[in-house]
Amino acid sequence: MSARSRMTLVAALALLALVLGLSGCATWNAEKRAPALGAFVDIDGERLHVLDMGPRDGAEPPLVLIHGASVNMRDMKLALGDRLAENRRVILIDRPGRGYSSRPEGGYRLGVQARLIKGAVDMLGVEQPVVVGQSLGGAVALRYALDYQDEMSGLVLLAAVSHEWPGRVAWYNKVSQWPVAGVLLRRLVIPVYGQLAAQSGVAGSFAPDAPPENYAEDTGLALLFRASDFKANAADLANLKAEIVAQQDRYSALTLPTAIVTGTGDKTVSPERHSKRLAEDIGGAQLTLLPETGHALHHAETETIIAIIRNLTAPQS
């Protein structure tokens, strides 16, 4: 081996060590600051991270809360879970591949995520839940209802992705799927760039509302910048449109009590293209428009949404 070849090899190994070191440090730091909250259940060879909260003997149906993209179960816990668990059973789940849940090949498929979540719900002995999903979690909740509505008490969709939309996949979500460039992106670029871009990303998602103080820390947002988590999240987003197109013509088959909630100021998931169309597709669905509210409506209008959830299956006088 020539001297030049040896120098090239040493440089490549040094770069590899740097990449692995940065990735490992980011993972260790994120998990130290936001450790697993609940227990793990094994479903079809996968381990799902679940948190079972609240009384189990309440008269109201239990709730299953499904989080959106780029976050984990802590987001729904902070916004709704802690409050709702004061008087009813609440199940929080890290979607497959996110947070502390593992994920099978093809885990981006909405049907796969719904099936695994349903398996965890069954494993916990939860019967006839109301399923609540936000954003991409709303797309998963819709698929859950399409496949299992006879085993549900109701469906609540918060700024849910439901119909095809124009536009392309963000470059980093696309590149993340590439064999070599994707590895370098996830292990070298994202651990550094992700942390720098996190605050502006949070602000954009909440606009025109302000995020809660210490939101990123309290929700363990840094978990997203671990290589495996970022890869799963990117795959979810890169494949979401095709998954939505495959199910959007089936919504008229839903007959269970359904509440659809969206903010009129949502610039992330269009109220007109998604929630309003969905309300037309699902007979009897209740549509609530929250004025001057953005995509993170579950944080901005918590009391309103809790009231909607409670009224959905409340006994009629």
Side-chain angles (χ1 to χ4, degrees), residues 23 27-28 59 74 80 104 136 150 162 171 186 197-198 216 249 252 261 290:
S23 180
T27 295
W28 178 85
R74 288 172 177 259
L80 300 172
L136 191 150
D150 291 343
S162 60
W171 69 267
R186 295 191 303 270
D249 292 334
S252 61
V261 192
L290 302 177

Side-chain angles (χ1 to χ4, degrees), residues 71-79 134 215 219 298-299:
V71 295
N72 56 76
M73 70 155 68
R74 288 172 177 259
D75 175 77
M76 290 292 266
K77 179 179 184 294
L78 178 66
Q134 192 267 337
Y215 172 81
T219 59
H298 53 317
H299 290 276

Side-chain angles (χ1 to χ4, degrees), residues 294-313:
H295 189 58
L297 69 173
H298 53 317
H299 290 276
E301 294 289 344
T302 300
E303 296 303 324
T304 299
I305 289 170
I306 287 176
I308 290 171
I309 292 171
R310 286 174 173 165
N311 291 337
L312 183 65
T313 57

Side-chain angles (χ1 to χ4, degrees), residues 148-227:
Y148 310 110
Q149 69 170 322
D150 291 343
E151 299 175 68
M152 297 169 58
S153 293
L155 176 66
V156 180
L157 303 166
L158 310 175
V161 181
S162 60
H163 290 78
E164 185 178 7
W165 67 95
R168 300 179 179 179
V169 176
W171 69 267
Y172 45 83
N173 291 326
K174 185 176 181 180
V175 172
S176 181
Q177 311 306 304
W178 298 355
V180 177
V183 172
L184 292 175
L185 173 73
R186 295 191 303 270
R187 294 191 177 275
L188 182 59
V189 178
I190 293 302
V192 177
Y193 173 76
Q195 301 285 353
L196 297 176
Q199 293 301 327
S200 62
V202 168
S205 178
F206 274 81
D209 306 296
E213 187 176 0
N214 299 321
Y215 172 81
E217 186 72 23
D218 291 344
T219 59
L221 187 61
L223 294 173
L224 169 64
F225 307 124
R226 299 172 301 167

Side-chain angles (χ1 to χ4, degrees), residues 103 108-109 169 177 234-244:
R103 169 170 168 131
Y108 62 83
R109 297 186 181 280
V169 176
Q177 311 306 304
D236 285 347
L237 292 169
N239 293 282
L240 181 58
K241 185 183 291 188
E243 289 293 299
I244 287 294

Side-chain angles (χ1 to χ4, degrees), residues 9 12 16 22 27 32 53 55 69 71 104 111 113 126-127 137 152 213 222 225 230 259 264 266 275 308:
L9 177 59
L16 177 61
L22 284 173
T27 295
K32 179 182 179 182
M53 305 170 64
V71 295
Q113 295 200 26
V126 176
E127 298 181 353
M152 297 169 58
E213 187 176 0
F225 307 124
F230 189 87
T264 61
D266 191 340
S275 293
I308 290 171

